[in-house]
Amino acid sequence: SALLSQEALESFRHDVKSTRCSLCENRCHLTVNRFDGSRSLISGNRCERPLTKSTAHGGGSLNLYDDKLAMLKAFKPAGNGQRGSLGIPLGLNMFELLPFWHTLFTQLGFDVVTSPLSDRALYLKGQATIPSDTVCFPAKLMHGHIQSLIEQGVDTVFYPCMSYNLDEKLGTNHYNCPVVAYYPEVIGANMPDVLKVRLIKDYVGPHRRRDFPVKLADVLKKYFSGITRREVYEACAAAYRAQEDYLKCVRTRGSEIIEAARRQCLPIVVLAGRPYHIDPETNHGIDRLVRSLGAAVISEDAVSHLAGQVDVDVLNQWTYHARLYAAAQYIKDQPDMHLVQLVSFGCGLDAITADEVRAQLERAGRLYTQLKIDEITNLGAVRIRLRSLFSALEQQKEVCRRS
C-alpha cells in the first residue's frame, strides 16, 4: 500500500506559504504546499513554468501572442516632442491601432506615451470609476489605463470614439462593437480626473482613407494651434504604412510559427478572440498555458486573410467577429489546427459569434472549445478544458489509425 503508516501520520508535517512567481511578467500568486520527504504541491500557476523552473515557452517561442506584444512594445516615446506629451491607453481598439496612432502623432511632433500593459494594480487603480459591473473586463481595464496616463503627467490623452474599424473586406461592413466604439464617452462621463488633462474623445474615422486627414485636421485644430493640414496629410500617410507593416509582420510571423510547428509535428492552436486579448492581464496567461501543453499558438488574424469573406448565417458586420468566421473557415480544412475561442463575460455579441463559429466547425466534424475570461485569474477550469481538448484530439487520431 502507498498509504502512510500510523507512525508516519503521527509525525506528518504540512507547511503552506504564499509567494509570487518571477519567471515572467504575469507574476502569478502561488500557493506552495510542502510535505514530508521534500514533496510539494504548487497551485495558482497559469502555466507549467513554476513546476519545470523553465523560462522558455515549452521548447521555443512558437507563440504569436508573445511576438505581437513585443512588436507593440517597440513603439516608445521619441523623447523630443516639441508639441508636448500625448498619451494613448493600451486597451480595446487602441491596442491593435497603436502603430497607427503612435506613428501619426510622433510625426506631428508629439512625445507619444502609452499606458503600461495591464496588471491587477492597474485594474484596481480605475475600479472606483467603473459605472457598470456588467461590461466586459477589457472595458473595465480602460479606467486604469486612463488613470495611469494621467498620473504619468501627460498633457493630452487621445482616446477617440470610432464607430468603424479599418475595412479588411471580410464582412458586409466593418463596425466596432458598441463598447469598443463609444467607451470614450463612458470615460469622459465617469472619471473626474480627466479634467486634469486634455481628453480628445472626438469621433474619427480612419476607415475613410481619402477624407480622414481633412476630418482629423479639423479635430486637432480645436485643441492645438499651428498644426497644418499638410502636416496631417503626411502624418496620416506614415500612419497607414505603419499599420500595414504591423499587420504584415503578424501574418509573416504567424506563417513562420505554422511552418516550424509542422516541422516538429506539433498541434497548432488558433487562440481566437480580440486584438486586446493578447494583454497578459486579460488572457491570464492562457497562451503560455497552451504552449506548456505542447502546442504552438497563433491568433485569428494570422490566418483570417487566407479564407477571405465567408458565408455565415448571421449578419457579418463587425470587424473582429468577421476575423473569427474567416479563421474558422480556414482551419476546418487544416487537420493540425484547432480553434480555441476566448470570450469575455459581458460581451453580448459573442453570444452570436460563439454559436456561429461552433456551427462552422462542427459541420466540418471539427472540435470547438470556448474559454470564458474575466477578472478572475484562477485557471483550474481552463487547464481542465484544454487537457480535455488535447485528450479528445489524441482519441480522434487513435480512431483514425485503427480505421
Side-chain angles (χ1 to χ4, degrees), residues 85-306:
S85 58
L86 182 141
I88 295 178
L90 202 55
L92 293 183
N93 59 316
M94 303 301 285
F95 210 107
E96 182 177 62
L97 291 177
L98 177 62
F100 183 91
W101 296 120
H102 189 284
T103 302
L104 190 152
F105 284 107
T106 299
Q107 289 281 322
L108 288 176
F110 292 92
D111 204 16
V112 181
V113 178
T114 62
S115 57
L117 289 177
S118 306
D119 57 20
R120 191 67 180 176
L122 182 138
Y123 169 58
L124 295 175
K125 190 187 295 288
Q127 188 179 33
T129 60
I130 299 172
S132 173
D133 200 45
T134 59
V135 75
C136 64
F137 183 48
K140 294 176 183 177
L141 284 170
M142 289 303 287
H143 294 257
H145 284 284
I146 298 294
Q147 189 64 42
S148 175
L149 288 172
I150 295 170
E151 293 177 0
Q152 289 182 63
V154 299
D155 306 312
T156 303
V157 172
F158 182 76
Y159 183 29
C161 292
M162 289 180 54
S163 299
Y164 294 88
N165 207 324
L166 299 178
D167 188 3
E168 299 179 355
K169 311 298 183 184
L170 293 178
T172 57
N173 216 319
H174 45 281
Y175 288 111
N176 282 313
C177 81
V179 171
V180 168
Y182 310 118
Y183 210 74
E185 298 284 12
V186 177
I187 294 294
N190 291 277
M191 292 193 66
D193 278 0
V194 297
L195 298 176
K196 299 177 181 179
V197 296
R198 182 189 293 114
L199 174 64
I200 300 178
K201 59 181 181 67
D202 298 59
Y203 286 62
V204 299
H207 65 291
R208 295 174 60 92
R209 189 162 182 164
R210 293 182 61 182
D211 59 12
F212 170 66
V214 177
K215 301 292 185 181
L216 182 63
D218 290 341
V219 168
L220 294 180
K221 73 180 182 181
K222 296 189 300 183
Y223 303 96
F224 309 100
S225 60
I227 298 180
T228 66
R229 185 167 291 182
R230 180 179 181 83
E231 285 181 286
V232 176
Y233 265 101
E234 292 174 351
C236 287
Y240 282 112
R241 288 195 299 270
Q243 193 65 36
E244 290 164 0
D245 288 344
Y246 168 73
L247 183 57
K248 187 182 300 182
C249 286
V250 168
R251 291 172 176 174
T252 299
R253 181 57 187 144
S255 297
E256 292 172 352
I257 290 174
I258 292 170
E259 292 173 5
R262 285 174 172 166
R263 286 195 299 270
Q264 300 176 44
C265 297
L266 297 177
I268 302 165
V269 168
V270 181
L271 197 56
R274 307 285 186 272
Y276 41 84
H277 282 159
I278 69 172
D279 189 315
E281 183 65 19
T282 303
N283 66 48
H284 304 310
I286 292 175
D287 58 315
R288 296 182 175 187
L289 175 58
V290 173
R291 277 296 294 124
S292 71
L293 294 174
V297 177
I298 61 174
S299 50
E300 73 289 338
D301 50 355
V303 295
S304 58
H305 65 290
L306 299 175

Side-chain angles (χ1 to χ4, degrees), residues 347-366:
C347 180
L349 294 180
D350 266 344
I352 300 170
T353 305
D355 286 345
E356 180 61 29
V357 172
R358 179 192 294 272
Q360 282 182 261
L361 293 173
E362 291 184 348
R363 280 196 295 265
R366 303 299 301 278

Side-chain angles (χ1 to χ4, degrees), residues 373-386:
I373 51 176
D374 61 2
E375 48 262 64
I376 298 174
T377 60
N378 189 329
L379 293 187
V382 170
R383 188 176 286 105
I384 292 172
R385 293 291 302 277
L386 290 174

